[in-house]
Amino acid sequence: MHRRRLLSVLVTALFAIAGLTAAPAQAQSRPGPEATLAAPNFKAPYPCGQKWTFSHHSAEVRRALDYVRADGGSTAGTPVLASAAGTATRMSEPSGAGNYIVIDHGGGWKTYYFHLASYSVPSGASVGQGQQIGVTGSTGNSSGAHIHYEQLLNGVGQNIVINGAGQPYPSQYNQSYLTSDNGCGGGSNFRTWGTDIRVRADARLNAAVVTTLPGPTNVTVVCQKQGDTVTAEGYTNNWWSKLRDQGGFISNIYIDHPSAQLPGVPTC
């Protein structure tokens, strides 16, 4: 009897130990409801190839940056792009933010885009990174067209990070600049014609030459925009293509395609 009782006690103790060690393992396998995801790889909130300058004003809410174009293009009317994928919601605050979009990226992350001239997506729309969500304007409490942009985590404004790099917070424009790679995609393939075609830093005839194409060349065009008018070989055109691999612009005259504005290529 003594042996049986001792064996019974030992078996009971072993089961108890097994139970005690199993329970914490099950609890640890369940992430808490407050777990947050890593930040998305946010990109600039304006089209591929465009160069903008930005500033932060002490009176701004949270950790916003305000962007205006610095490449000779018009800020007003420029598409505003989703800096990461998520669900977009239209908002309006006539006395403050004006027309604006909030994108929920999941994991507690959201981005805000203020002062839109108009919306490009309905509330509740799923949007991809680089998709147009609105048009740059000056609605609400704004002294001129610009993109007021914010990144928030669980409702708290964060320092702006683009392509994994923290952005500076200058007190005025034209101190810091950012060229967008948002919405660039893989680009569209074309072939040039002619020889000694100059690739320029911008869509202007007086812009710096970054390289020269010696002859017909296969190129990848990421976007196009209007610039200086070029006349050559009996043709006139003011559309320019941004070349992905050469890092500059050429007049669309030198793209071997009959259309002045290339089909299927987004506007820079």
Side-chain angles (χ1 to χ4, degrees):
M1 294 294 292
H2 179 71
R3 279 184 174 181
R4 288 180 180 177
R5 187 176 303 128
L6 180 59
L7 181 60
S8 176
V9 169
L10 288 172
V11 170
T12 302
L14 287 172
F15 276 113
I17 292 172
L20 286 172
T21 56
Q26 290 175 350
Q28 290 171 359
S29 68
R30 298 172 186 166
E34 299 303 320
T36 56
L37 300 176
N41 181 30
F42 293 117
K43 292 186 176 295
Y46 44 86
C48 171
Q50 291 185 358
K51 180 181 178 182
W52 293 49
T53 183
F54 53 92
S55 68
H56 172 77
H57 306 293
S58 58
E60 290 280 18
V61 298
R62 296 178 285 269
R63 296 294 293 160
L65 286 176
D66 291 333
Y67 293 86
V68 297
R69 290 191 71 166
D71 56 7
S74 172
T75 299
T78 294
V80 177
L81 308 186
S83 61
T87 301
T89 301
R90 290 184 179 187
M91 307 291 284
S92 180
E93 187 181 66
S95 62
N99 301 324
Y100 69 103
I101 289 276
V102 178
I103 301 181
D104 188 337
H105 306 284
W109 288 95
K110 294 182 179 180
T111 48
Y112 286 21
Y113 312 75
F114 286 9
H115 309 304
L116 304 176
S118 60
Y119 305 106
S120 301
V121 293
S123 278
S126 293
V127 297
Q129 187 175 64
Q131 180 175 340
Q132 182 172 339
I133 57 172
V135 175
T136 306
S138 187
T139 59
N141 184 14
S142 170
S143 59
H146 68 284
I147 302 174
H148 169 111
Y149 174 73
E150 302 178 29
Q151 295 173 355
L152 289 81
L153 176 60
N154 296 325
V156 178
Q158 306 294 303
N159 287 344
I160 304 299
V161 173
I162 301 294
N163 289 331
Q167 299 300 290
Y169 274 75
S171 60
Q172 56 187 333
Y173 294 124
N174 299 314
Q175 292 182 339
S176 296
Y177 302 87
L178 178 65
T179 299
S180 174
D181 67 346
N182 197 1
C184 292
S188 300
N189 296 321
F190 293 91
R191 187 169 177 81
T192 66
W193 66 272
T195 58
D196 297 326
I197 305 304
R198 296 173 180 175
V199 181
R200 298 186 178 275
D202 199 1
R204 294 177 289 105
L205 291 170
N206 63 352
V209 176
V210 296
T211 189
T212 300
L213 305 180
T217 305
N218 293 322
V219 294
T220 300
V221 177
V222 295
C223 62
Q224 59 188 332
K225 69 177 183 178
Q226 291 179 297
D228 286 352
T229 298
V230 176
T231 299
E233 301 294 331
Y235 298 95
T236 299
N237 196 350
N238 70 338
W239 282 93
W240 293 63
S241 289
K242 181 174 178 61
L243 307 184
R244 183 191 66 190
D245 302 321
Q246 289 76 19
F249 291 83
I250 64 170
S251 168
N252 279 8
I253 280 181
Y254 299 111
I255 298 290
D256 191 7
H257 193 281
S259 298
Q261 183 178 0
L262 301 177
V265 176
T267 302
C268 297

